[in-house]
Amino acid sequence: MKFLRHTYPKVRPSLPLRAVVIVPFVLQILTAVSLVGYFSFRNGQRAVNDLSTQLRREVSDRIHLYITNFVALPPRINQTSEEVIRQKFFTLNSLDQIEQYIALQMRLHPTVSYIAYGNNQGKLRGGERKADGTLTLDHSDQVTKADYRTYQTNSEGDRTQLLETLPEKYDARKRPWYKAAAAAGKPIWGNTYLWVNTQELSIPAVHPIYSSDGTLQGVFSTEFLLSNVSQFLRKLKIAKTGKTLVIERSGLLIASSLDEKPFRLGFNGKTQERLNIYDSKDALTHAIAEFLLNKFGNYRNIRERQQLEFDFNGSRQLMQIQPFSDGKGLDWLIMVVIPEADFMEQIYENTRSTFWLCLAAASIATVLGIYTSRWITQPILQLSQASQAIAEGDLEQNVVMTRTDELGVLAQSFNQMAVQLKISFEVLEYRVAERTAELNEQRQETERLLLRLLPASVADRLKRSTEIIADDFAEVTVLFADLVDFTAYAHQASANDTVGLLNQIFSEFDQLAEDYQLEKIKTIGDGYMIAGGLPTPKADHAEAVAEMAIAMQQAVNRFCHPSGKPFQLRVGIHTGAVIAGVIGKQKFTYDLWGDTVNLASRMESRGLPGKIQVSPATYQRLQFQYSLEERGMIEVKGFGQMQTYWLNGKLTSRDLSDKII
């Protein structure tokens, strides 16, 4: 105060009184509005950062899920091929039958680009999907004198016209995909390579086939074009200018949302080489590579999903990187990059509007202050208080002023500015809430999907922990059931009728399992497997399984062959210890292991149609409640001679009394 008393007399002669009143007033208005604009900008920026984080995570998860489903098909086709051979639908010596089988698989799976089989003599049978969607068959053996021949096919997949003959001698054993499978000795992914004729990247899933004595008989190879992944990435809508990349750990490009090819010409002008993203002509892609190498030193050091930020040409780039691995050799990185400017455009616009409003308010305040210096104290106080409240986050402000002069106009302008700020905040909050609701809905859908695949308690553990889920159960009861002669029916009926009938039967079984509080483990063809006493222990698991077995026999009698004869069910039951757990990282399966499972399966396979065969262990649990008939000693593979029993039904009260006496 003493400073003001000494200073004021000095400035009074040279500074008009109206200026003394106007300048603090204008400064106060500018300060208040600037603070409001600053906090508005900062809050908007935080909301945008949260939204961009959720968007990057969602897009990354969608890409991860798509690639997971996409790369699962070739190994599954190879596994099916091995199963077909093991079931002896044809032999490896029947190359013409293998060719027909390959043509069928190519027609069934339109995303597969090439399927081949090479045997240990160097012979080849293959099917290729051309760019126009037509299928050709490749052929090399003693008939072609080891020449590589390509044939056109008809709609049934049979060879028609010879299209091309390559004169060089072809030996499948010398091909990289064959060598990779032979060296690994197990199903793996081969190296990514370039199709020279189509200029497309392809990656083969290879699967060696061994005889019973361990001799390599041949290799199945199933490929798909990585351009399919690029097409999916280009279809994703990521903000305004967001980009996505999928690379190998070496930095070589697998797929991207850009139009840039994943290969380039070599120094000789002819040889085509895979493109490393560090050498990309796209400036942002090169900047991504440079940033990651500077931060991690090597792409292999990126082991978990991360949210990152870096500057590019003066613009902040928001990035998410997520590893992808399928356990069979694929080890990729998924990258999602979104410029912050894609989200901040509206925030910048609001900031500019606030700036011009500040200038307008200052101008109006200056003009009004010249003529209304006597009335200015109270309006300034009101505006100051309202501005401070807005700066603290309370947007419910309205300056009430009955005056119709310039100060009234200023108050009205201030109120309009407050409304605009409030609307801006509400719009941002609404968008964040809307996106949060969408993410919650997607998460709930994911949880519902998980509950369809796994028991509820196991699914809950899987969500809470990434550790391996494996449990020992000292005593459970396992049931295997098989529809007798259903394979013969399937050969006669159409695919729709076969699957429809099997769905009706197994749906009734599923309902029975739910009624008796049993856990369905899986179906294998026309076989059905359940277990009682897990994952939640159940004291009467053997009795519940017995009740379901009886109910299953009654249920299956309601379904008949076209001849009118009812279907029959062969059922086997055993009680004992098992190991239960979840297998898989992307596609989960809850399964059981142990001698109990094997013996229950033997009880079914060594049973009779329409009968329920139980082991001695199960007999001990059921003998006082159910009618059990000795079958006699039978040979059980892996277990030797064993006394087994037929389960005929539940004992009545009178039967139970007689048995106790």
Side-chain angles (χ1 to χ4, degrees):
M1 295 297 295
K2 184 182 294 186
F3 171 79
L4 292 177
R5 286 196 297 270
H6 287 290
T7 303
Y8 183 71
K10 297 179 181 179
V11 300
R12 182 171 56 181
S14 59
L15 191 63
L17 181 59
R18 284 178 292 183
V20 174
V21 176
I22 292 170
V23 170
F25 176 74
V26 172
L27 289 177
Q28 185 178 6
I29 292 294
L30 286 175
T31 302
V33 176
S34 298
L35 286 174
V36 171
Y38 172 75
F39 286 117
S40 173
F41 177 79
R42 293 297 298 170
N43 290 337
Q45 191 177 46
R46 281 195 294 268
V48 163
N49 287 338
D50 293 341
L51 180 61
S52 68
T53 298
Q54 295 173 5
L55 178 60
R56 282 178 283 163
R57 185 179 295 114
E58 177 189 356
V59 172
S60 178
D61 289 343
R62 286 185 62 187
I63 297 173
H64 193 283
L65 178 61
Y66 172 82
I67 295 177
T68 298
N69 294 332
F70 192 73
V71 304
L73 180 59
R76 190 162 61 243
I77 292 176
N78 289 339
Q79 183 64 41
T80 301
S81 302
E82 182 181 24
E83 291 299 325
V84 167
I85 292 171
R86 292 191 185 281
Q87 295 296 329
K88 299 181 179 179
F89 287 103
F90 53 78
T91 65
L92 293 174
N93 295 325
S94 304
L95 293 179
D96 290 339
Q97 291 182 339
I98 291 179
E99 182 178 281
Q100 294 175 357
Y101 171 76
I102 289 175
L104 174 62
Q105 291 294 328
M106 293 294 293
R107 296 200 306 274
L108 291 176
H109 303 288
T111 59
V112 173
S113 58
Y114 188 70
I115 300 178
Y117 172 73
N119 65 12
N120 56 8
Q121 299 174 0
K123 301 174 184 179
L124 174 80
R125 290 291 188 274
E128 178 182 347
R129 192 181 312 281
K130 297 296 185 182
D132 59 1
T134 59
L135 300 179
T136 61
L137 293 175
D138 301 330
H139 178 197
S140 175
D141 57 19
Q142 70 276 10
V143 175
T144 66
K145 298 181 181 180
D147 290 342
Y148 192 90
R149 296 181 182 177
T150 301
Y151 293 87
Q152 189 176 3
T153 63
N154 57 22
S155 60
E156 301 297 327
D158 299 322
R159 290 191 227 158
T160 55
Q161 179 183 353
L162 178 63
L163 297 177
E164 184 182 13
T165 300
L166 300 180
E168 63 267 18
K169 301 305 178 184
Y170 184 90
D171 189 341
R173 297 168 297 184
K174 297 180 180 180
R175 304 306 297 169
W177 55 268
Y178 190 100
K179 291 181 179 180
K186 62 181 181 179
I188 61 168
W189 288 95
N191 292 328
T192 303
Y193 71 97
L194 182 68
W195 279 20
V196 178
N197 56 343
T198 61
Q199 295 189 344
E200 297 278 2
L201 285 183
S202 180
I203 183 170
V206 294
H207 192 112
I209 305 297
Y210 291 91
S211 62
S212 58
D213 61 358
T215 302
L216 179 63
Q217 299 294 300
V219 174
F220 275 100
S221 174
T222 302
E223 304 181 15
F224 65 85
L225 298 179
L226 293 173
S227 58
N228 292 323
V229 180
S230 293
Q231 292 173 6
F232 172 77
L233 297 182
R234 294 187 188 110
K235 292 178 181 178
L236 291 176
K237 182 63 177 176
I238 311 173
K240 184 182 293 185
T241 59
K243 293 180 175 61
T244 55
L245 301 170
V246 180
I247 68 169
E248 293 181 355
R249 290 287 184 170
S250 61
L252 295 179
L253 183 63
I254 291 293
S256 76
S257 60
L258 304 174
D259 293 330
E260 187 175 23
K261 295 290 185 181
F263 58 84
R264 64 176 183 172
L265 294 179
F267 294 108
N268 57 9
K270 295 181 180 180
T271 304
Q272 291 176 321
E273 300 177 347
R274 296 277 306 281
L275 176 66
N276 192 299
I277 61 171
Y278 190 86
D279 301 321
S280 173
K281 294 182 179 180
D282 180 72
L284 178 57
T285 303
H286 176 79
I288 292 171
E290 192 171 26
F291 166 72
L292 292 177
L293 291 176
N294 289 336
K295 183 175 181 61
F296 297 99
N298 192 298
Y299 299 114
R300 292 181 174 83
N301 295 330
I302 304 173
R303 290 300 174 189
E304 59 185 12
R305 178 164 63 182
Q306 298 193 43
Q307 298 272 352
L308 305 172
E309 299 176 3
F310 66 97
D311 289 330
F312 172 70
N313 290 341
S315 176
R316 186 164 166 253
Q317 305 294 315
L318 308 176
M319 178 180 183
Q320 171 153 316
I321 187 166
Q322 178 174 356
F324 170 83
S325 175
D326 72 336
K328 295 183 176 65
L330 294 185
D331 191 8
W332 297 344
L333 293 175
I334 300 171
M335 303 179 187
V336 179
V337 181
I338 306 175
E340 186 185 46
D342 286 3
F343 297 97
M344 293 295 294
E345 183 176 353
Q346 186 62 43
I347 302 298
Y348 293 144
E349 181 64 29
N350 290 342
T351 302
R352 286 191 292 269
S353 299
T354 302
F355 172 76
W356 290 113
L357 284 173
C358 288
L359 289 180
S363 300
I364 295 172
T366 302
V367 174
L368 292 177
I370 296 174
Y371 298 99
T372 59
S373 57
R374 292 182 304 170
W375 305 332
I376 204 168
T377 305
Q378 187 62 31
I380 287 178
L381 180 59
Q382 294 179 3
L383 291 173
S384 176
Q385 292 173 346
S387 300
Q388 186 64 32
I390 291 177
E392 293 173 354
D394 183 6
L395 301 181
E396 297 291 338
Q397 297 300 315
N398 184 36
V399 177
V400 179
M401 190 174 296
T402 59
R403 297 169 61 169
T404 59
D405 55 13
E406 291 82 0
L407 282 178
V409 174
L410 178 61
Q412 183 179 3
S413 299
F414 185 88
N415 291 337
Q416 290 176 351
M417 181 185 66
V419 170
Q420 291 177 355
L421 289 173
K422 179 181 177 182
I423 292 174
S424 298
F425 275 109
E426 290 176 349
V427 168
L428 286 175
E429 291 176 353
Y430 173 77
R431 290 177 179 173
V432 171
E434 186 180 50
R435 176 56 63 184
T436 302
E438 291 177 0
L439 292 175
N440 288 336
E441 183 178 350
Q442 292 176 1
R443 183 174 66 251
Q444 292 171 3
E445 179 62 24
T446 301
E447 292 178 354
R448 286 194 293 269
L449 256 169
L450 194 61
L451 287 175
R452 292 187 188 129
L453 296 174
L454 302 175
S457 59
V458 175
D460 184 62
R461 290 171 60 189
L462 190 64
K463 289 186 293 182
R464 287 186 284 102
S465 173
T466 58
E467 297 181 357
I468 294 175
I469 296 179
D471 299 303
D472 290 309
F473 292 91
E475 186 178 76
V476 300
T477 299
V478 180
L479 177 150
F480 276 89
D482 185 70
L483 285 169
V484 180
D485 294 333
F486 190 82
T487 302
Y489 166 78
H491 283 307
Q492 299 173 1
S494 67
N496 285 339
D497 291 343
T498 301
V499 175
L501 178 59
L502 198 60
N503 182 56
Q504 291 181 30
I505 295 173
F506 282 179
S507 293
E508 290 211 18
F509 291 174
D510 291 345
Q511 185 60 52
L512 290 173
E514 184 177 347
D515 293 342
Y516 290 109
Q517 298 180 358
L518 301 174
E519 190 63 43
K520 175 184 175 181
I521 303 302
K522 59 185 173 183
T523 61
I524 309 172
D526 53 10
Y528 192 90
M529 177 184 177
I530 63 164
L534 58 77
T536 302
K538 180 180 176 67
D540 59 343
H541 54 82
E543 292 81 355
V545 171
E547 290 291 338
M548 178 164 176
I550 296 170
M552 289 169 71
Q553 291 286 14
Q554 295 171 352
V556 82
N557 286 334
R558 294 194 293 270
F559 299 91
C560 298
H561 288 273
S563 63
K565 180 181 178 182
F567 280 99
Q568 289 185 302
L569 198 64
R570 191 169 52 242
V571 181
I573 305 175
H574 175 58
T575 302
V578 298
I579 297 173
V582 176
I583 296 178
K585 293 185 178 179
Q586 285 80 32
K587 186 174 183 181
F588 303 108
T589 302
Y590 186 70
D591 210 344
L592 312 180
W593 299 271
D595 286 343
T596 297
V597 177
N598 296 332
L599 186 52
S601 177
R602 300 287 191 275
M603 290 295 99
E604 177 272 315
S605 62
R606 295 283 288 136
L608 295 177
K611 290 286 191 177
I612 304 170
Q613 183 169 227
V614 302
S615 67
T618 306
Y619 169 79
Q620 293 297 324
R621 289 291 303 261
L622 303 177
Q623 61 178 325
F624 296 111
Q625 296 173 300
Y626 292 85
S627 174
L628 294 154
E629 174 187 350
E630 289 188 4
R631 180 184 182 182
M633 301 295 290
I634 63 171
E635 179 68 25
V636 180
K637 182 179 179 181
F639 296 90
Q641 291 289 324
M642 182 177 293
Q643 172 70 51
T644 64
Y645 303 85
W646 300 120
L647 173 61
N648 296 324
K650 192 166 186 178
L651 290 174
T652 64
S653 300
R654 181 174 181 179
D655 294 335
L656 185 60
S657 299
D658 294 341
K659 190 165 187 176
I660 295 174
I661 293 173

